[in-house]
Amino acid sequence: MAALKKISLPIEGMTCASCVERNEKLLRSLPGVTSADVNFATEKAQVEFDPDVVDVARLTSEIAGIGYKVITEKIELAVQGMSCASCVEHVQKALAGVEGAVAVSVNLATERATIEYVPGTAGREDFVRAVVSAGYQVLDVGGEAEEEDVEARLRLKEYRRLQLKVVVGASLAIPIFLISLPGVYTHLGPLKNMNTLMVVSWIMATPVQFWVGGQFYRGAWSAARHGTTNMNTLVAVGSSAAYFYSAAGVVFEEYFLRHGLEMPMYFDTAAVIITLILFGRMLEARAKGQTSEAIKKLMGLTPRTARVVRDGAEVDVAVEEVVAGDTVIVRPGERIPVDGIVREGSSSVDESMITGESLPVEKQTGDEVVGATINKMGSFRFEATRVGRETVLSQIIRMVQEAQGSKPPIARLADVIASYFVPAVFVVGLLTFVIWVAFGPDPALTYAFLNFVAVLVIACPCALGLATPTAIMVGTGKGAENGVLIRGGDSLETAYKVNTIVLDKTGTLTRGEPAVTDVITTGWDEEQVLRLAGSAERGSEHPLGEAIIRGARERDIVLDAADSFTALAGQGIEAEVSGHSVLVGNPGLLEERGLSLDGLGEQATRLSSQGKTPMFVAVDGNPVGIIGVADTLKTGSPETVAALKKMGLKVVMLTGDNRRTAEAIGALAGVDEVVAEVLPEDKANEVKRLQAQGLKVAMVGDGINDAPALAQADVGIAIGTGTDVAMEAGDITLMSGELQGVVTAIALSRRTIQIIKQNLFWAFAYNTALIPVAAGILYPFFGILLNPMIAAGAMGLSSVSVVTNSLRLRRFRPPRVI
């Protein structure tokens, strides 16, 4: 089997959760499709499939076959170098192999290739690259500074169309409503005649019913052709009942009067229902646009041009034309166009858009820089290493988009219920009609009709479909803004349930490299001891020796060159520095040379009990001091552990160190439990042990050595470096590399799932409570009936309220770690 592929298909025409269920059921039934998740809020389907069994064209055609449409875009490329049908075949095959290509047509006579593709999965540059890799050329490469955001344009077009229809609908529905009020017609001069009044209402209601509300008929008909129902069916049937019943009253006025029936004046009901529902959809469309604000911000960060060196000259080119290996020049205040490595110059760079950290990062020759970050001061040149869709920013955008299109398990229940909901509503509506006709007071038919319409209109399951995806969209986007990349909705939900955090020690709680912590002397100046020891260690490659050198340099101590250097295996080193014989090593080295420790032994024991390694220093045969070296805690580690414990989490430290050292570090960090002397391959077993105790475990590690444990944990939290975002082992990646991100991730997951639960509760409660009210259950007790127009307004506002509640996540701020 070929490697599985993933694709995001933007689907047009979904109106409620039942549409989601239909599309998911179809896609999952196709051979070669391993998973499919459809998101109502983003209007996208995330599909994983085997390209040898099913292709994108088949996926799009199957979706179209059940009445929906995959949004595609067409582009044309002028291809140079084709000379025969074989060339056409080569170019066509290369283009068809690009992810997202739906249909490809290559014309030899016009030397043009027409490609239909799914926007967001590929762009013009991808197809140009495919043609070039096949051995041909494309004219006018990079004609546009950036690919047009097709989906954003279509969403804006849809919003403006809804605006127009709402304005037209309201301008007609309001007069119809006013002239239908009891007694109003007596003040309307020439319209005093009731029949004339109804004819005028009929004329004004018709464009509202069939133009303003035309989309409901189209959607209902599409569903009917495929033997199903959806929200459009409810609205179309409900409003049509009011419209055609009233039209029958105009045409057969004498029949109604002769049989003593009340004149059915409900054109206002039909017009107001359609207008209010579209008004709700318009507000919903606007609010849904705000849920993807984080993605829009990320997409807007990439500069449009780059200054590169070509043929010895500096030229400005479109960022799409930058290729790996180009030398790129960045000046103060500019955004870095692509990823690369600094080759000349230095500066400080604001990487907050990647890591969430506000402090600029110093960059020197050999350091990595990330595209879209801001060069604060200084000018430098760098070699482009990752361009186009391979940049860190592009990877982040793809990860966030995939996360926003995913579903947590909590959303499955809503989808299953929604699939049965609409048919059940029709049954309830018909039962309501029959019961009111049989047992209702006069005019029973009118009451039956109004309650039937109210049930259909108020029961549309839009809020159910929006409850989860809108919160996931905002939550994952907010995470990205704070340097926390969340792979999907399932990771969010599982993180919410976590009650135990396992922290790898080295590189997670600690810095991952030894550092000088103490300098204890027998009367000598500390800087002098460090200068001699550091100068002696300059020839050493041992990590402890390197730590002493760094410690001296951090104190601005100038080191001398050693005249001689000898490494003593398992003991330390010996060197000549500025005419002095210097020994640096363990107690065994001094004892072998017959040197007394002169009371330093007690200090060494104290340092060892704290998890530190004591390094003895002797000068000219006299012990002069001890340098304590240890892998120190990262700044903020104890505060982060305290914050996690305050959140009710058990914190466990996992390490391969000996127990004494591990206990010392654990005590400084403040963890609840220390698991020491664990081999790397046994870390996953320790996670299993905790899970066997019924605990929900999140493992925090560097994503490389800890990969098995990260994969075994309920939630794997990988600590990134700002430039390495492809952390396959982790469910959550912390871009800043700082442990405080764990607190942010857990707090964000809890807040997001809390919002989802609120949304689902109110969506379920709304339908559960108001359908019986719409059916007239309160009438026998309180004489209350729900007007269908009020039902329409309530239905529209229920969806808006769910989206608005999700938007509250935009105010999320990471908890302070003091």
Side-chain angles (χ1 to χ4, degrees):
M1 186 177 72
L4 296 177
K5 283 188 176 182
K6 282 186 177 180
I7 192 169
S8 178
L9 302 174
I11 300 178
E12 193 174 54
M14 293 192 295
T15 57
C16 64
S18 60
C19 300
V20 172
E21 180 70 17
R22 290 188 62 217
N23 279 283
E24 280 189 349
K25 187 175 180 180
L26 165 79
L27 290 170
R28 290 172 181 171
S29 68
L30 295 178
V33 173
T34 57
S35 68
D37 285 310
V38 181
N39 188 306
F40 183 39
T42 61
E43 297 178 305
K44 289 182 179 179
Q46 302 285 348
V47 187
E48 187 178 56
F49 62 102
D50 181 354
D52 284 349
V53 179
V54 63
D55 57 15
V56 178
R58 170 80 184 279
L59 297 176
T60 57
S61 65
E62 291 288 346
I63 291 172
I66 60 169
Y68 301 90
K69 179 184 178 184
V70 174
I71 297 173
T72 58
E73 180 71 349
K74 282 188 178 181
I75 58 169
E76 282 193 352
L77 300 179
V79 182
Q80 196 175 40
M82 296 187 298
S83 59
C84 64
S86 178
C87 298
V88 171
E89 180 66 18
H90 287 156
V91 174
Q92 191 153 315
K93 187 175 181 180
L95 290 170
V98 176
E99 181 181 0
V102 176
V104 177
S105 174
V106 181
N107 190 309
L108 180 62
T110 60
E111 293 188 313
R112 299 190 74 82
T114 303
I115 306 109
E116 183 182 7
Y117 68 101
V118 177
T121 59
R124 187 178 191 277
E125 66 271 19
D126 298 298
F127 293 108
V128 170
R129 199 175 295 122
V131 173
V132 173
S133 66
Y136 303 88
Q137 297 299 316
V138 176
L139 301 180
D140 302 322
V141 176
E144 296 178 351
E146 59 182 9
E147 183 184 355
E148 184 179 15
D149 189 348
V150 180
E151 290 180 64
R153 176 168 54 83
L154 290 173
R155 282 179 183 266
L156 180 60
K157 182 179 178 182
E158 172 67 10
Y159 177 69
R160 288 177 175 167
R161 186 180 69 86
L162 287 171
Q163 274 185 317
L164 174 63
K165 288 198 169 190
V166 167
V167 169
V168 172
S171 63
L172 293 171
I174 292 173
I176 299 172
F177 173 74
L178 291 176
I179 64 178
S180 66
L181 292 175
V184 171
Y185 69 91
T186 59
H187 304 286
L188 294 179
L191 297 181
K192 285 183 180 180
N193 181 275
M194 187 64 163
N195 185 266
T196 304
L197 188 67
M198 291 186 67
V199 170
V200 171
S201 297
W202 189 7
I203 292 171
M204 288 193 293
T206 299
V208 178
Q209 188 71 32
F210 299 107
W211 181 73
V212 176
Q215 64 195 71
F216 299 119
Y217 285 104
R218 289 190 294 273
W221 173 245
S222 176
R225 284 192 301 115
H226 297 94
T228 186
T229 56
N230 58 24
M231 171 194 165
N232 293 306
T233 312
L234 296 176
V235 177
V237 171
S239 62
S240 295
Y243 176 85
F244 287 109
Y245 186 38
S246 301
V250 176
V251 176
F252 304 106
E253 180 184 10
E254 291 185 8
Y255 176 84
F256 277 81
L257 294 175
R258 188 165 58 247
H259 289 81
L261 298 174
E262 182 178 338
M263 291 300 295
M265 183 65 172
Y266 300 120
F267 287 118
D268 59 329
T269 300
V272 171
I273 284 174
I274 288 174
T275 303
L276 282 177
I277 290 175
L278 284 182
F279 178 67
R281 281 200 179 181
M282 185 189 76
L283 295 179
E284 179 187 312
R286 182 178 180 182
K288 281 164 66 177
Q290 296 174 20
T291 61
S292 58
E293 194 174 80
I295 287 289
K296 293 176 184 175
K297 285 181 180 178
L298 290 172
M299 287 180 168
L301 292 175
T302 305
R304 296 186 177 185
T305 61
R307 187 175 295 106
V308 301
V309 177
R310 296 274 171 88
D311 299 324
E314 296 182 14
V315 294
D316 288 334
V317 300
V319 72
E320 293 89 354
E321 293 184 40
V322 178
V323 297
D326 272 347
T327 297
V328 184
I329 301 167
V330 184
R331 294 173 182 169
E334 293 182 338
R335 283 194 183 274
I336 298 169
V338 295
D339 299 357
I341 299 174
V342 177
R343 296 304 184 198
E344 182 181 329
S346 62
S347 184
S348 60
V349 176
D350 179 358
E351 295 185 338
S352 58
M353 51 77 61
I354 294 289
T355 65
E357 298 295 321
S358 57
L359 294 178
V361 180
E362 297 298 321
K363 298 293 182 181
Q364 306 287 339
T365 301
D367 289 340
E368 284 190 278
V369 290
V370 180
T373 54
I374 303 172
N375 179 32
K376 300 296 286 184
M377 55 186 184
S379 179
F380 62 90
R381 297 185 176 206
F382 71 93
E383 177 188 344
T385 55
R386 289 188 292 253
V387 299
R389 293 170 63 83
E390 301 304 316
T391 63
V392 167
L393 180 62
S394 294
Q395 291 182 56
I396 290 174
I397 290 172
R398 282 201 300 275
M399 285 183 69
V400 175
Q401 285 175 329
E402 287 181 8
Q404 290 186 339
S406 65
K407 286 183 181 177
I410 196 173
R412 312 288 180 193
L413 176 63
D415 289 347
V416 171
I417 291 175
S419 66
Y420 297 103
F421 194 79
V422 175
V425 168
F426 269 108
V427 172
V428 173
L430 291 172
L431 284 174
T432 299
F433 185 85
V434 171
I435 290 171
W436 274 95
V437 168
F439 304 106
D442 290 329
L445 184 62
T446 298
Y447 284 132
F449 164 76
L450 289 175
N451 291 328
F452 169 72
V453 173
V455 168
L456 295 190
V457 172
I458 206 166
C460 298
C462 302
L464 277 178
L466 292 169
T468 300
T470 51
I472 293 294
M473 287 176 70
V474 182
T476 52
K478 202 66 187 174
E481 288 180 18
N482 289 282
V484 177
L485 297 184
I486 301 165
R487 287 199 171 274
D490 52 346
S491 301
L492 261 179
E493 184 173 347
T494 309
Y496 160 81
K497 299 175 181 176
V498 161
N499 52 29
T500 303
I501 301 284
V502 176
L503 303 172
D504 177 56
K505 180 184 82 70
T506 305
T508 301
L509 270 173
T510 65
R511 298 181 183 277
E513 59 182 22
V516 173
T517 58
D518 303 84
V519 179
I520 301 169
T521 70
T522 57
W524 280 54
D525 180 71
E526 290 184 10
E527 289 194 0
Q528 180 70 355
V529 172
L530 260 181
R531 183 184 70 81
L532 291 170
S535 299
E537 292 281 7
R538 286 184 67 179
S540 172
E541 295 181 355
H542 194 282
L544 296 180
E546 291 177 352
I548 293 174
I549 295 170
R550 280 195 304 274
R553 287 175 174 164
E554 286 170 1
R555 293 166 172 78
D556 297 322
I557 297 173
V558 178
L559 301 180
D560 300 324
D563 296 324
S564 66
F565 174 86
T566 304
L568 306 172
Q571 293 182 314
I573 59 102
E574 181 177 12
E576 291 287 330
V577 179
S578 302
H580 297 284
S581 174
V582 180
L583 290 173
V584 182
N586 58 29
L589 174 61
L590 271 66
E591 291 171 358
E592 183 184 276
R593 299 299 175 94
L595 302 180
S596 170
L597 300 183
D598 285 341
L600 291 175
E602 292 182 6
Q603 298 286 3
T605 301
R606 179 178 63 81
L607 292 176
S608 296
S609 68
Q610 296 173 356
K612 301 171 183 177
T613 301
M615 302 284 288
F616 287 83
V617 181
V619 178
D620 296 329
N622 296 307
V624 297
I626 300 175
I627 298 175
V629 179
D631 183 7
T632 57
L633 289 172
K634 286 182 177 180
T635 303
S637 286
E639 292 81 1
T640 301
V641 170
L644 291 170
K645 291 168 71 173
K646 189 176 179 181
M647 295 169 73
L649 298 165
K650 177 181 180 180
V651 183
V652 178
M653 187 186 81
L654 197 60
T655 179
D657 282 353
N658 64 72
R659 177 153 294 279
R660 186 171 68 176
T661 300
E663 293 285 359
I665 293 293
L668 290 173
V671 301
D672 296 305
E673 181 182 341
V674 174
V675 181
E677 300 175 357
V678 179
L679 296 174
E681 57 268 26
D682 291 333
K683 288 183 178 181
N685 292 329
E686 290 298 327
V687 173
K688 283 183 183 178
R689 178 181 64 82
L690 292 169
Q691 289 172 326
Q693 298 173 18
L695 300 174
K696 284 286 184 181
V697 180
M699 171 71 191
V700 185
D702 61 15
I704 302 170
N705 298 328
D706 303 312
L710 288 169
Q712 174 60 42
D714 297 288
V715 178
I717 302 178
I719 293 188
T721 61
T723 55
D724 180 17
V725 298
M727 309 288 282
E728 293 300 328
D731 301 300
I732 298 174
T733 299
L734 308 181
M735 293 298 297
S736 68
E738 298 297 329
L739 197 57
Q740 291 94 321
V742 179
V743 178
T744 301
I746 298 296
L748 181 60
S749 72
R750 289 182 174 183
R751 184 66 179 139
T752 303
I753 298 301
Q754 181 185 38
I755 291 288
I756 289 174
K757 287 185 174 181
Q758 290 172 0
N759 287 347
L760 288 173
F761 171 79
W762 287 114
F764 280 121
Y766 167 84
N767 287 119
T768 303
L770 292 186
I771 288 177
V773 173
I777 196 171
L778 298 180
Y779 185 80
F781 308 102
F782 307 104
I784 296 175
L785 287 177
L786 189 64
N787 189 300
M789 291 184 283
I790 296 176
M795 189 279 291
L797 289 176
S798 68
S799 297
V800 176
S801 66
V802 163
V803 179
T804 304
N805 191 43
S806 296
L807 288 175
R808 292 195 300 127
L809 275 169
R810 294 197 300 173
R811 299 200 297 267
F812 172 84
R813 295 290 181 271
R816 292 185 62 187
V817 177
I818 301 174

